[in-house]
């Protein structure tokens, strides 16, 4: 039996029995109890591998795998609870696109960069690039998915430009390094796999990256860049 098959067999046992004692009891036959006349002794013999109808499973292995499965189950439940888009009546294409990407950006399977161009509350035209995964970690998106507020670029995002005041700001994020001095235009380097994301619409976005313009009534322009890291962790 290879390692993968052994782990699958262990998972089947762990999910089938609530406790290690329950598993031991399942390995004891009526004949064992007839001759041994002691359930505790019968359990000990099964645990040691001297009795039993199946493969020997050590107590520490059973309990460790049981704990690991429980941790994974709780983590999955917590992850589902933290999806702020869940249960929302989302109508706009842009918010739908964000909702579709929320879970994968939270768990690191996907890294999305959001470009938005629109007008702020003062009527000034602004644009910028937002590290979606970072924003999800630092603020509550419930107000955006519920329609109470609009997601807009800020001076603290990876890139921010106010077209009326000519204020331009660039900031590296926990996920991306900003390369602002590139003569051909703004670039972002994904820190995990060091791949370059090119946001120039005339160029290809880069390895393992896609550029998706989003038709929306919320903004003048919205584009989402998706990057999938291929680096093994």
């Amino acid at each position: 039996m290879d390692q993968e098959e052994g782990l699958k067999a262990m998972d089947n046992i762990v999910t089938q029995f609530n406790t290690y004692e329950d598993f031991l009891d399942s390995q004891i036959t009526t004949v064992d109890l007839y001759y041994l006349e002691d359930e505790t002794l019968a359990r000990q013999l099964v645990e040691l591998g001297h009795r039993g109808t199946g493969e020997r499973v050590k107590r520490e292995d059973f309990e460790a795998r049981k704990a690991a499965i429980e941790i994974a189950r709780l983590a999955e439940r917590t992850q589902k609870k933290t999806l702020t888009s869940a249960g929302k009546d989302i109508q706009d294409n842009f918010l739908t696109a964000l909702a579709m990407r929320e879970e994968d950006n939270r768990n690191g399977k996907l890294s999305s960069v959001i470009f938005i161009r629109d007008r702020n509350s003062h009527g000034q035209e602004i644009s910028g690039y937002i590290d979606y995964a970072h924003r999800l970690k630092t603020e509550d998106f419930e107000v955006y998915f519920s329609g109470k507020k609009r997601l807009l670029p800020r001076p603290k995002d990876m890139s921010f430009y106010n077209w009326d005041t000519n204020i331009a700001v660039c900031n590296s994020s926990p996920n991306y390094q900003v390369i602002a001095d590139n003569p051909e235009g703004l670039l972002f380097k994904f820190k995990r796999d060091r791949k370059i994301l090119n946001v120039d619409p005339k160029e290809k976005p880069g390895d393992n990256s896609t550029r998706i313009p989003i038709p929306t009534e919320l903004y003048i322009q919205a584009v989402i860049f998706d990057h999938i890291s291929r680096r093994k962790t």
Side-chain angles (χ1 to χ4, degrees):
M1 183 182 295
D2 60 26
Q3 185 176 0
E4 184 177 350
E5 288 178 348
L7 189 60
K8 186 179 293 184
M10 172 68 80
D11 286 352
N12 289 335
I13 292 172
V14 167
T15 53
Q16 185 178 353
F17 301 101
N18 291 326
T19 66
Y20 185 65
E21 282 68 27
D22 289 343
F23 164 70
L24 293 178
D25 289 345
S26 73
Q27 301 295 297
I28 300 171
T29 66
T30 54
V31 176
D32 292 331
L33 289 176
Y34 177 79
Y35 285 105
L36 294 173
E37 298 181 347
D38 188 330
E39 186 178 34
T40 301
L41 178 59
R43 284 178 175 176
Q44 291 174 348
L45 291 174
V46 172
E47 187 169 355
L48 293 171
H50 299 309
R51 286 286 189 277
T53 58
E55 192 166 337
R56 183 191 175 196
V57 175
K58 295 180 181 179
R59 180 183 294 272
E60 56 267 28
D61 292 341
F62 179 95
E63 292 178 349
R65 193 60 192 159
K66 190 80 170 177
I69 290 175
E70 180 64 15
I71 290 171
R73 186 183 65 81
L74 292 174
E76 182 179 2
R77 181 190 297 176
T78 301
Q79 180 69 38
K80 289 179 179 179
K81 286 183 178 179
T82 59
L83 293 181
T84 49
S85 59
K88 300 293 189 302
D89 182 18
I90 300 173
Q91 302 293 330
D92 187 80
N93 292 330
F94 175 75
L95 293 179
T96 299
L98 291 192
M100 291 172 59
R101 292 162 172 79
E102 182 184 3
E103 183 171 6
D104 284 347
N105 270 269
R106 286 190 183 277
N107 61 32
K109 292 181 180 179
L110 182 70
S111 178
S112 300
V113 173
I114 305 166
F115 172 78
I116 291 175
R117 181 166 68 93
D118 206 70
R119 296 189 180 277
N120 62 18
S121 58
H122 302 292
Q124 300 168 330
E125 185 172 335
I126 60 172
S127 63
Y129 292 89
I130 299 168
D131 181 345
Y132 185 33
H134 179 54
R135 277 275 205 121
L136 282 170
K137 288 183 178 180
T138 56
E139 65 179 297
D140 186 1
F141 264 63
E142 195 277 334
V143 292
Y144 303 127
F145 286 121
S146 63
K148 297 175 183 176
K149 290 177 63 177
R150 286 189 313 141
L151 177 67
L152 288 172
R154 299 171 178 172
K156 291 184 178 181
D157 284 314
M158 293 197 299
S159 171
F160 174 85
Y161 184 63
N162 187 312
W163 294 81
D164 289 19
T165 63
N166 292 321
I167 294 177
V169 183
C170 288
N171 308 283
S172 293
S173 75
N175 300 308
Y176 288 92
Q177 175 187 343
V178 177
I179 303 176
D181 56 358
N182 177 49
E184 296 180 0
L186 189 65
L187 300 173
F188 301 115
K189 180 189 287 187
F190 189 56
K191 293 181 179 180
R192 191 183 306 166
D193 61 9
R194 306 184 67 81
K195 297 291 185 181
I196 298 296
L197 175 63
N198 191 333
V199 295
D200 186 342
K202 298 178 183 179
E203 301 291 336
K204 292 182 178 180
D207 293 343
N208 308 324
S209 297
T210 57
R211 179 184 187 275
I212 306 173
I214 308 295
T216 173
E217 297 181 358
L218 295 179
Y219 305 101
I220 296 174
Q221 185 182 8
V223 180
I224 297 180
F225 297 85
D226 290 326
H227 179 75
I228 300 174
S229 174
R230 299 299 185 188
R231 183 174 179 179
K232 295 181 179 180
T233 55

